[in-house]
Amino acid sequence: CLDRLAFKVIMMETASAKNSSRFAFLKQVKIMETLNDMERRTIADAMVSQQFNAGDIIIRQGDPGTGFYIVGSGVVACSRQASESSPPEELCRLSSGEYFGEIALLTDRPRQATVIATEPCEILCLSSKKFQRVMGPMSDVLKRNLAVYTRHMSGSVL
């Protein structure tokens, strides 16, 4: 049996350690390099960790965009179907520190690809509401990347 204060202290220490670990990880993520420490801490606090097994679908092409994701560990495969009758074409593989899901949040369009875990993965997720609130400093960087992605997709998939 734990008293309320002991439980609260344990929970706060655990949360603090987890956030410190996420903060250190986010310092290594290329897209986050232009943010200051306070912005990184805000994002670290807002992110939720999710575990996926090999073969699990993380996001599905055509679904509404509800989050922004960073691969914490493991590898995911991004694929796209040009039409419902065509087979999926693998676009790329993403590993630790790489991100996906920002296009649907920036454009209000449905997901443009399906992302599947190719091995056990930890994925850090930022919901669309939190994304809008804390990702303001990164929106220009994400929009630049969106332009590159759009050029790539128009030349290779469509």
Side-chain angles (χ1 to χ4, degrees), residues 94-118:
L94 304 173
S95 58
S96 182
E98 296 181 295
Y99 62 95
F100 58 95
E102 77 287 357
I103 294 169
L105 297 177
L106 291 172
T107 64
D108 272 341
R109 295 184 347 211
R111 297 287 186 197
Q112 299 299 297
T114 297
V115 178
I116 300 173
T118 61

Side-chain angles (χ1 to χ4, degrees), residues 29-143:
V29 175
K30 185 170 179 62
I31 191 74
M32 305 280 180
E33 65 189 9
T34 61
L35 301 180
N36 64 41
D37 284 350
M38 184 62 171
E39 291 165 335
R40 267 191 223 101
R41 283 202 192 283
T42 301
I43 292 169
D45 289 344
M47 296 196 105
V48 175
S49 175
Q50 296 178 322
Q51 303 297 318
F52 293 92
N53 294 314
D56 287 351
I57 295 174
I58 301 167
I59 62 173
R60 187 182 309 274
Q61 181 177 344
D63 285 353
T66 58
F68 169 74
Y69 306 87
I70 298 176
V71 179
S73 64
V75 176
V76 301
C78 303
S79 61
R80 179 181 169 122
Q81 282 183 275
S83 69
E84 287 187 30
S85 60
S86 64
E89 177 185 340
E90 186 172 306
L91 302 172
C92 64
R93 291 187 175 234
L94 304 173
S95 58
S96 182
E98 296 181 295
Y99 62 95
F100 58 95
E102 77 287 357
I103 294 169
L105 297 177
L106 291 172
T107 64
D108 272 341
R109 295 184 347 211
R111 297 287 186 197
Q112 299 299 297
T114 297
V115 178
I116 300 173
T118 61
E119 59 188 55
C121 295
E122 176 190 22
I123 305 296
L124 301 175
C125 177
L126 192 61
S127 72
S128 57
K129 288 181 183 177
K130 290 179 183 175
F131 178 91
Q132 298 300 330
R133 185 169 39 100
V134 302
M135 298 301 270
M138 289 179 47
S139 61
D140 289 339
V141 174
L142 292 173
K143 286 177 182 171

